């Protein structure tokens, strides 16, 4: 089996490549630079230099590789950055995903062999939902440019299915690991807490500590995508733990994991770090994935945070 991945440089991409290689697949991946493999990218991955926004070049590459499975994980992954560069985020997260779906369908029609496609979607497509938890039937109503671009790609998946592509949208809720960049609040918290525990820092500065999210373990979410694309029926799946925690909860768990019980005086809230909009409650109902795919999270919230703190302490 041959697989093609965009976004192999991210935490999900690296875990996905590892899982596919372990399954015996020949893995190809798109990278933006010819300077060498991204961090954590397995050496067995065959790298191709390019850009997802160069639609014609990507289409030619896809025809050259002729994969059986396509995983589109490439994205500008920062919600905050989407407010600063909305056009870029739409081009990468939305338009490029649609173009890749079109190219995958064209490849399938050209070769006569089925090709399966996974779009890594996001809970941000739901915006500020009026009900919780959310599932696959929750209205798509994004409230930021990142969510809008992801919604464009998510809705295109159903159209691709109508046109004959075995396409799946995995609606991923927040998922973390030690491979998450420090620009994300979770890794900012765990790395700073580890620095405080070592005596290398004395303050953790955050924005909205009451924002609630559904946090899981990144390798689990990658496994869900693989299970979803290989299921005989192509449909969308919410991938989530079903548990909601605040940023403050995550901070408390991080300090506890680092052996610090009296932690609140280390934390300062900076109003400049608040987002223009911030969904109040995002928690997912992954019932379809659990029943249909036999999927379930392998780590609790506390275990996810502890694993990240332990890695940062090392």
């Amino acid at each position: 089996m041959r697989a093609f991945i965009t976004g192999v440089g991210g935490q999900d991409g690296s875990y996905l490549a590892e899982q596919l290689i372990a399954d015996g697949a020949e893995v190809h991946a798109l990278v933006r630079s010819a300077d060498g493999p991204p961090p954590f990218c397995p050496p067995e991955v065959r790298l191709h230099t390019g850009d997802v926004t160069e639609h014609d070049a990507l289409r030619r590459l896809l025809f050259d590789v002729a994969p059986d499975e396509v995983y589109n994980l490439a994205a500008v992954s920062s919600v905050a950055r989407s407010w600063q560069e909305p056009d870029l985020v739409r081009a990468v997260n939305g338009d490029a995903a649609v173009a890749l779906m079109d190219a995958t369908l064209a490849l399938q029609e050209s070769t006569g062999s089925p090709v399966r496609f996974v779009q890594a979607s996001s809970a941000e497509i739901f915006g500020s939902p009026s009900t919780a938890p959310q599932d696959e039937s929750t209205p798509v109503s994004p409230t930021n440019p990142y969510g809008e671009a992801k919604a464009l790609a998510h809705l295109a998946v159903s159209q691709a299915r109508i046109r004959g592509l075995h396409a799946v949208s995995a609606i991923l809720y927040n998922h973390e690991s030690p491979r998450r960049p420090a620009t994300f609040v979770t890794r900012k918290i765990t790395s700073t807490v580890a620095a405080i525990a070592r005596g290398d820092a004395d303050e953790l500065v955050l924005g909205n500590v009451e924002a609630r999210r559904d946090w899981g373990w990144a390798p689990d979410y990658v496994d869900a995508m693989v299970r979803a694309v290989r299921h005989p029926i192509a449909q969308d799946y919410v991938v989530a733990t079903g548990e909601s925690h605040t940023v403050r909860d995550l901070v408390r768990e991080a300090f506890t994991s680092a052996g610090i019980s009296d932690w609140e005086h280390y934390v300062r809230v900076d109003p400049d770090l608040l987002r223009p909009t911030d969904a109040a409650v995002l928690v997912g109902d992954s019932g379809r994935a659990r029943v249909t795919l036999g999927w379930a999270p392998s780590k609790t919230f506390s275990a996810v945070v502890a694993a990240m703190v332990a890695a940062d302490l090392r």
Side-chain angles (χ1 to χ4, degrees):
M1 195 277 291
R2 186 177 300 149
F4 179 74
I5 303 171
T6 70
V8 74
Q11 66 163 2
D12 291 2
S14 63
Y15 286 122
L16 174 61
E18 289 174 352
Q19 179 168 337
L20 293 175
I21 289 168
D23 289 345
E26 176 186 309
V27 179
H28 295 251
L30 184 72
V31 292
R32 294 188 63 188
S33 172
D35 294 338
F40 310 111
C41 181
E44 299 91 340
V45 176
R46 304 184 186 189
L47 302 177
H48 305 267
T49 303
D51 193 304
V52 293
T53 62
E54 297 172 353
H55 301 166
D56 291 341
L58 184 57
R59 182 188 181 101
R60 290 192 296 270
L61 174 59
L62 196 69
F63 271 63
D64 287 343
V65 173
D68 303 291
E69 297 175 352
V70 177
Y71 295 85
N72 184 41
L73 278 56
V76 177
S77 53
S78 168
V79 173
R81 187 178 175 188
S82 77
W83 289 106
Q84 301 163 357
E85 300 179 86
D87 293 341
L88 172 66
V89 170
R90 179 185 174 91
V92 175
N93 297 10
D95 297 339
V98 176
L100 185 57
M101 275 180 250
D102 289 342
T104 304
L105 186 58
L107 172 64
Q108 177 175 278
E109 293 171 346
S110 173
T111 62
S113 299
V115 186
R116 300 189 172 204
F117 185 95
V118 181
Q119 168 62 23
S121 190
S122 165
E124 291 287 343
I125 66 173
F126 298 138
S128 295
S130 58
T131 59
Q134 300 86 43
D135 61 17
E136 296 81 6
S137 66
T138 299
V140 174
S141 183
T143 55
N144 58 59
Y146 173 87
E148 290 171 2
K150 282 290 190 178
L152 172 66
H154 171 76
L155 295 172
V157 169
S158 60
Q159 294 302 310
R161 283 198 292 262
I162 292 172
R163 295 162 60 195
L165 185 65
H166 188 101
V168 169
S169 183
I171 307 168
L172 308 176
Y173 279 65
N174 293 63
H175 49 288
E176 312 301 328
S177 78
R179 298 182 185 179
R180 181 68 103 178
T183 52
F184 286 77
V185 67
T186 47
R187 185 75 194 292
K188 175 183 178 180
I189 290 169
T190 62
S191 61
T192 304
V193 167
I196 290 172
R198 292 192 303 266
D200 296 332
D202 55 14
E203 187 178 50
L204 171 61
V205 183
L206 297 170
N208 182 9
V209 296
E210 302 306 327
R212 303 189 70 90
R213 291 293 184 272
D214 182 333
W215 278 293
W217 181 238
D220 290 341
Y221 288 48
V222 163
D223 179 56
M225 285 191 278
V226 175
R227 289 172 183 248
V229 79
R230 294 180 180 173
H231 191 270
I233 300 173
Q235 58 183 340
D236 302 335
Y237 294 92
V238 163
V239 184
T241 70
E243 297 181 4
S244 175
H245 299 274
T246 65
V247 174
R248 185 183 297 277
D249 294 335
L250 197 150
V251 172
R252 182 186 304 110
E253 289 287 349
F255 275 109
T256 299
S257 297
I260 300 173
S261 56
D262 183 18
W263 56 269
E264 293 196 4
H265 64 282
Y266 289 113
V267 180
R268 177 170 64 86
V269 173
D270 183 352
D272 290 339
L273 297 179
L274 298 175
R275 294 178 181 174
T277 62
D278 207 338
V281 181
L282 281 176
V283 56
D285 177 356
S286 57
R288 176 183 287 179
R290 292 170 189 258
V291 172
T292 305
L293 305 177
W295 176 84
S298 69
K299 284 187 184 294
T300 63
F301 171 71
S302 297
V304 171
V305 179
M308 295 176 69
V309 171
D312 283 323
L313 284 171
R314 289 194 297 271

